[in-house]
Amino acid sequence: MAEERKDKPAGDAASLRERALRLLARRDYPRAELERKLLGYCAAQSAAGSAADSADVDDEEFAAASAAAVGALLDQLAARGLLSDSRYAENRVRARAARYGNARLEQELRQRGVEAEVRADALAGCSSEIERASALWRRRFGCIPGDANERARQMRYLAARGFSGDTVRRVLATAADDSDDVREDDEAC
């Protein structure tokens, strides 16, 4: 049985492909994240196989063969257009840009294993950070802070969502300038 395991590094290539397609049917994945999931699946299959075999098999050789099988599968999926880091990054940015700043979006993409060039292209395709921060501020607060504590709270809220300090200051300064044109009694928080 140990010989069978060496011949089939990822359990069964068909089951590995089926698992990848099932994951991609639910949502887009960046290549690095899908690779981690599939390698975890291979490791689980390996552990189940070695527990059943209880034979001494070289786990490093098995892991290298599994990694090669996963890499080949990911190359096939990318060639067919089923796996695309740029599509994933664009969709992720589009879905979350209204609530988060560029720093947060960049960090999320980096954690998912998206390359720097793809991250930059995806972020360049979204609307300006100041417009998004202003819209978020209006939805959340809508009025100029009356005291320093409230102003600090609003600034922390925007900063915690990944908006740069300069953007946060500009949003609140623009809101303060706009409030000068409106009567003060209409702006009470």
Side-chain angles (χ1 to χ4, degrees):
M1 245 190 199
E3 279 304 313
E4 290 178 37
R5 187 170 166 230
K6 286 183 181 178
D7 292 340
K8 296 180 180 181
D12 182 3
S15 70
L16 185 62
R17 180 177 173 78
E18 180 182 314
R19 180 128 180 125
L21 291 174
R22 195 175 24 215
L23 289 168
L24 288 170
R26 292 183 189 144
R27 69 172 178 91
D28 269 335
Y29 283 90
R31 182 182 177 102
E33 184 179 2
L34 187 59
E35 183 175 26
R36 279 191 302 271
K37 284 186 173 287
L38 293 176
L39 287 174
Y41 172 71
C42 291
Q45 294 296 334
S46 168
S50 66
D53 292 345
S54 70
D56 186 28
V57 179
D58 188 9
D59 287 334
E60 290 179 16
E61 183 180 318
F62 181 78
S66 294
V70 168
L73 175 62
L74 293 177
D75 290 341
Q76 290 173 359
L77 293 173
R80 295 180 132 206
L82 298 173
L83 181 65
S84 171
D85 280 359
S86 61
R87 182 178 59 227
Y88 170 80
E90 289 169 4
N91 288 340
R92 184 78 173 178
V93 166
R94 184 175 41 250
R96 297 177 64 83
R99 294 180 310 233
Y100 298 107
N102 288 350
R104 171 82 177 258
L105 296 171
E106 169 89 17
Q107 176 196 19
E108 287 179 1
L109 293 174
R110 187 177 336 110
Q111 286 177 338
R112 303 277 183 171
V114 177
E115 294 180 11
E117 184 177 306
V118 176
R119 291 191 310 255
D121 289 344
L123 289 172
C126 68
S127 60
S128 92
E129 189 176 37
I130 293 174
E131 291 172 4
R132 296 188 335 256
S134 283
L136 180 63
W137 178 83
R138 278 192 304 279
R139 279 194 311 266
R140 174 72 176 171
F141 301 106
C143 61
I144 303 303
D147 63 348
N149 288 337
E150 179 63 21
R151 179 178 175 82
R153 187 176 77 83
Q154 290 181 10
M155 291 177 83
R156 282 191 309 271
Y157 176 84
L158 292 174
R161 276 141 191 84
F163 294 103
S164 69
D166 184 49
T167 299
V168 171
R169 284 187 296 277
R170 289 176 69 184
V171 165
L172 289 175
T174 302
D177 291 344
D178 291 346
S179 72
D180 291 342
D181 299 335
V182 179
R183 290 189 350 216
E184 289 182 31
D185 55 20
D186 290 340
E187 283 295 311
C189 285

